[in-house]
Amino acid sequence: MKNAIRTGFVALSSCGLIACGLGQWSATNLHPASASESAIYGVYGSSQVGYAAVNGIWSASKWSGTQESWVNLNPSGSTQSYALSTDGSNQLGAIWFGEEHHATLWGGSSGVYVNLTPTGAARSEGHRSFNGVQVGAARFNYVRKAGMWTGTAASWVELHPVNAVESFAYDTDGVQQVGAANINSTYGACLWTGTATSYVSLHPPTASQSYALGVDGGQQVGHSVVSRYSHASLWSGTAISWVDLNPAGARSSIAFSVDGGQQVGSCVLHDGRVRAGMWTGTAASWVDLHAYLPAHYSMSEAISVWSDANTTVIGGYAINTQTQRKEAIVWRSATMDFTFSLDKTTIAGQNSVRATVTMPSVRPTNTVFRIGDNSSLVSTPSIAIIPTDRVTTSFRVTVNPVTHPLTTTISATLGPITRLQSLTLIPLNPTALAFAPSQTTGGAPVTCRVVMNGVAGPGGAVIGIADNSPFAEAPGNVTVPAGSNQASFSILTSAVTTPTLVVVTATAGGGAKTGVFRINP
């Protein structure tokens, strides 16, 4: 979701493996001038939270997009603190008083906060706040238990599975909660829907450990240990839905957060390089965010993502080799607006239309669009790619014949933006009749060519043929061959004593077309 989760997963970041960018990105350094290190753990709209080390003390921090907007949330008397998520107005994290830490919900300043540690717990930690609900964990009699709050310590609801040794909740999207539980000596990713009894294991059968760290809209992300290496993971509510996001060529990876179908995290290459990045549902969709940092940054991690209809914001950190410190970084997508058009909005038969996507400017990486349709009568490619040296690309949308008008929708998606175009499918109709010759002597045949408004599908298209004269004999019907839009046939004529006009009517798909030729004596 639009959050950040800090875990014990060390030095797993990006791979810059493939250039399939979703658009132009910009990176902003939010590191406070007085801090020795900093990181962003949560983003929401124009708000960011995390920590900054000031005078050797980790201090929960919030920003509003600039270094100068930094606010130190560490309260007086605290030995250290950090903030992991924000919903724009409140900040959630933990404060240490002495040796114990307590889940804390701030109201925007160091002096305005609520200690969420429930009665009976020695310590607690808050990981994610969304729509007035917070998730995290509290320790009771040396057992760490997952749970959730609604703004006060007394509102604590335990999510701990009955057979678990330990559990913790990392994220919620208002409907689902995710985390991990130690059951039968194995830490496994899990999912709840508000109660301990709603527990669902997400643990992949091939993994030795797994953790779910983020959730949004039915997707869960985290990491699974497979053959001793951590693999960024994506689920959709069940263990068997697990998708391995580890990119080709990466030694290990992790996904921290998901929002709007975009997953963020990091991976490490086999040569040890660590770089932040994002996915859109598959290992092959990896986008290297580290590439948008200056060259003097040696590693990076993307920990939180938030998006709306036009912009994606990602928070994390990077290591500055010039200053030898960890520095808070926010990546923002430039306006990823684009146009999407069809060269026809109405089509008949087994035809195709030309679809075009256009960006406002050239991008530094290939721009990959997801293409879709809402009908089995329409075929589209799964993706369309604008290469780095171009601003536009086109592809064909093919359709099948229909017996009655039907409106379908073709979509092109880039990051959080989807553009739609309506395409109306109509039945095959005759659009023209031509006669050769256009007048003839009675007794001589006339060749007629009928043209359709589209290409006939498999099996061809049958057109009814009729005439209005006793001196002409139309064939009754004719078949347009598959893959063609026209057919020819002969009309026999008989002798007449005066010039006679013959009206021929072609009918198909509820439409009709007439034509006239003349029989002379």
Side-chain angles (χ1 to χ4, degrees):
M1 187 56 192
K2 303 159 183 172
N3 70 329
I5 304 297
R6 177 176 175 81
T7 71
F9 190 84
V10 179
L12 281 181
S13 292
S14 144
C15 358
L17 300 177
I18 42 180
C20 61
L22 291 176
Q24 180 69 54
W25 293 84
S26 63
T28 301
N29 187 326
L30 298 187
H31 182 75
S34 60
S36 58
E37 63 176 279
S38 61
I40 300 297
Y41 290 145
V43 294
Y44 188 94
S46 60
S47 300
Q48 305 86 38
V49 296
Y51 84 95
V54 181
N55 297 322
I57 297 175
W58 270 37
S59 300
S61 300
K62 75 182 186 81
W63 294 262
S64 300
T66 64
Q67 290 177 325
E68 294 74 22
S69 66
W70 173 65
V71 175
N72 189 335
L73 297 176
N74 194 52
S76 176
S78 168
T79 54
Q80 64 175 325
S81 60
Y82 58 79
L84 294 181
S85 82
T86 178
D87 58 11
S89 56
N90 296 110
Q91 304 80 38
L92 180 68
I95 295 176
W96 272 256
F97 290 103
E99 296 298 319
E100 301 296 345
H101 55 80
H102 301 275
T104 303
L105 185 66
W106 284 270
S109 65
S110 61
V112 180
Y113 64 89
V114 176
N115 185 333
L116 296 178
T117 300
T119 301
R123 62 176 64 173
S124 61
E125 59 204 67
H127 286 284
R128 166 68 176 145
S129 180
F130 180 74
N131 280 355
V133 177
Q134 302 82 41
V135 297
R139 187 177 297 274
F140 298 88
N141 296 324
Y142 305 102
V143 177
R144 189 184 183 197
K145 297 183 177 183
M148 54 193 292
W149 302 267
T150 53
T152 65
S155 65
W156 167 261
V157 174
E158 189 171 296
L159 297 176
H160 185 70
V162 65
N163 57 342
V165 175
E166 182 180 45
S167 64
F168 28 90
Y170 280 133
D171 193 15
T172 181
D173 63 357
V175 177
Q176 298 180 324
Q177 303 81 39
V178 295
N182 182 346
I183 298 176
N184 297 325
S185 300
T186 298
Y187 281 95
C190 59
L191 173 70
W192 298 272
T193 52
T195 64
T197 56
S198 66
Y199 163 85
V200 174
S201 174
L202 298 178
H203 185 62
T206 58
S208 58
Q209 297 182 53
S210 61
Y211 300 82
L213 306 179
V215 59
D216 176 62
Q219 288 191 332
Q220 304 85 37
V221 298
H223 64 111
S224 305
V225 178
V226 180
S227 300
R228 298 185 297 112
Y229 289 103
S230 175
H231 286 210
S233 299
L234 173 67
W235 296 269
S236 54
T238 62
I240 62 173
S241 67
W242 176 63
V243 175
D244 188 343
L245 295 179
N246 196 59
R251 185 173 66 197
S252 53
S253 55
I254 184 171
F256 286 109
S257 179
V258 57
D259 186 56
Q262 300 169 101
Q263 305 86 35
V264 301
S266 50
C267 72
V268 58
L269 299 183
H270 289 285
D271 62 7
R273 286 184 294 145
V274 180
R275 302 165 72 93
M278 67 176 291
W279 301 263
T280 51
T282 65
S285 66
W286 170 263
V287 176
D288 181 11
L289 293 173
H290 188 94
Y292 294 92
L293 296 172
H296 58 270
Y297 285 93
S298 61
M299 68 156 285
S300 58
E301 285 198 292
I303 303 176
S304 176
V305 58
W306 176 92
S307 63
D308 61 15
N310 296 301
T311 305
T312 297
V313 181
I314 297 171
Y317 69 88
I319 302 299
N320 187 333
T321 59
Q322 293 179 344
T323 60
Q324 295 300 310
R325 66 190 180 195
K326 178 191 293 186
E327 296 179 346
I329 299 292
V330 167
W331 289 268
R332 289 182 179 85
S333 63
T335 300
M336 294 192 295
D337 205 5
F338 64 94
T339 60
F340 177 47
S341 62
L342 304 177
D343 65 348
K344 299 175 185 175
T345 57
T346 302
I347 188 171
Q350 193 167 332
N351 277 336
S352 67
V353 300
R354 181 183 177 89
T356 302
V357 287
T358 303
M359 298 291 290
S361 61
V362 172
R363 303 298 184 181
T365 59
N366 290 347
T367 305
V368 181
F369 298 82
R370 298 195 306 276
I371 307 301
D373 60 77
N374 69 340
S375 174
S376 60
L377 297 171
V378 177
S379 297
T380 57
S382 59
I383 62 171
I385 300 175
I386 297 181
T388 58
D389 59 344
R390 295 172 55 192
V391 296
T392 188
T393 191
S394 296
F395 56 91
R396 305 302 299 187
V397 177
T398 59
V399 304
N400 292 328
V402 295
T403 57
H404 60 276
L406 175 71
T407 298
T408 63
T409 301
I410 313 301
S411 64
T413 299
L414 178 63
I417 302 176
T418 297
R419 297 279 181 256
L420 304 175
Q421 286 290 334
S422 294
L423 178 62
T424 300
L425 314 185
I426 61 174
L428 285 167
N429 292 320
T431 57
L433 287 173
F435 302 95
S438 60
Q439 53 183 303
T440 188
T441 302
V446 171
T447 298
C448 179
R449 180 168 57 92
V450 60
V451 179
M452 304 288 286
N453 60 351
V455 175
V462 177
I463 304 173
I465 306 295
D467 65 76
N468 70 338
S469 174
F471 304 105
E473 186 178 344
N477 61 68
V478 66
T479 299
V480 176
S484 177
N485 72 333
Q486 57 187 271
S488 296
F489 56 92
S490 292
I491 298 177
L492 301 179
T493 67
S494 56
V496 295
T497 57
T498 61
T500 301
L501 294 179
V502 178
V503 178
V504 179
T505 302
T507 58
K513 186 66 178 180
T514 60
V516 178
F517 70 93
R518 188 169 73 177
I519 303 175
N520 294 321

